[in-house]
Amino acid sequence: MKIKKMNSKNLILSTLVKLWLVVLSFVSINSFAQRIEITPSYGFHFGTKLDYGPNYIEVEDSGQWGITLGVETFDDVMVELSYTRMNTELSIRDVDLSPSEQRLSDIAGDWILVGGTKYFPKGKIRPFAGGALGLVILSPSNENNNLISRSLDSETKFTFSFKGGVNIMFSEKIGLNIQGNLYFPVEWGGVYVGGGPGGVSGGVSTTSTTVIGGFSGGLVYRMK
């Protein structure tokens, strides 16, 4: 499913609202919600390579930031809505377009997920594990016009993720969050690269499923 760049921000906002309504609907069914947690975070994700034959498109390492809103629905189980932003670069090596690796474009990834997290024995140190489903909106920009003659389209992909880590509570309301993340965008990398000003004809089309791993840390705020 492809979208135009001008609609990306509207799609992000619309998706966040819809997913938050799902969370609220779920929570309203369960009257035993005990607390709300807000976790802003910053971290790092490792790059990944999308191969097609002897060639590849590579997603470079970069930082990421995000925020998670969780509501406890059962003892030690949180239903969560999370938003994560990744800004990185795409590089390409192609025997026809770019025999040596070159920068293809910048690319932003907006990950919008709804999931659940299970916390283990109560105390100041609380390990956890969780998973989520949602969407990732991939928005290229600043394309290398020496390689391609037109802009790359934004795309929206279904995705799922897993995480594991620990919350270290300094008090009843404030703590430190440390976690590892795995993101699995479905058919990430559906990119078409057309011929550039140099007169290269044809193009490159690659579609594959990959894994993006990373880690993050942040502060946990308990509101209830």
Side-chain angles (χ1 to χ4, degrees):
M1 176 170 56
K2 292 188 177 181
I3 57 173
K4 299 295 184 181
K5 290 183 182 179
M6 62 180 296
N7 294 327
S8 295
K9 292 183 179 178
N10 291 336
L11 180 60
I12 292 169
L13 179 60
S14 174
T15 304
L16 281 170
V17 170
K18 290 177 181 178
L19 292 179
W20 180 234
L21 289 175
V22 171
V23 173
L24 289 179
S25 299
F26 184 85
V27 171
S28 66
I29 296 173
N30 188 332
S31 60
F32 299 102
Q34 297 180 32
R35 68 174 182 272
I36 297 173
E37 290 184 354
I38 299 177
T39 308
S41 64
Y42 183 83
F44 181 86
H45 77 264
F46 302 101
T48 187
K49 189 177 290 186
L50 308 171
D51 295 312
Y52 58 102
N55 312 307
Y56 62 81
I57 292 177
E58 185 172 12
V59 183
E60 303 294 342
D61 303 343
S62 77
Q64 65 179 58
W65 59 268
I67 188 166
T68 299
L69 177 61
V71 179
E72 187 177 52
T73 55
F74 302 97
D75 286 342
D76 301 320
V77 176
M78 305 287 288
V79 173
E80 297 175 333
L81 170 65
S82 67
Y83 169 76
T84 302
R85 173 81 172 191
M86 298 178 181
N87 292 294
T88 186
E89 289 186 353
L90 289 178
S91 298
I92 187 172
R93 181 190 179 281
D94 185 277
V95 292
D96 294 320
L97 293 177
S98 178
S100 61
E101 183 178 300
Q102 294 190 58
R103 175 187 168 278
L104 177 60
S105 73
D106 296 335
I107 189 166
D110 296 287
W111 305 76
I112 305 167
L113 301 164
V114 168
T117 296
K118 170 65 177 177
Y119 286 87
F120 298 103
K122 293 184 178 181
K124 291 186 179 294
I125 299 178
R126 305 197 68 200
F128 62 82
L133 297 170
L135 301 174
V136 56
I137 301 168
L138 304 167
S139 304
S141 62
N142 301 320
E143 290 86 348
N144 184 349
N145 293 324
N146 292 323
L147 294 179
I148 55 177
S149 57
R150 66 178 179 85
S151 297
L152 301 176
D153 291 331
S154 297
E155 294 190 348
T156 302
K157 300 291 186 180
F158 291 106
T159 186
F160 58 97
S161 70
F162 297 102
K163 66 178 181 179
V166 63
N167 282 354
I168 303 171
M169 303 305 300
F170 304 132
S171 68
E172 289 295 322
K173 293 187 176 182
I174 298 178
L176 174 67
N177 167 267
I178 302 172
Q179 67 181 49
N181 310 289
L182 289 175
Y183 296 93
F184 297 83
V186 178
E187 293 188 348
W188 198 96
V191 175
Y192 180 83
V193 181
V200 178
S201 61
V204 173
S205 181
T206 175
T207 301
S208 64
T209 299
T210 188
V211 179
I212 298 177
F215 59 87
S216 62
L219 292 178
V220 181
Y221 298 94
R222 287 185 181 175
M223 300 177 61
K224 184 178 178 181

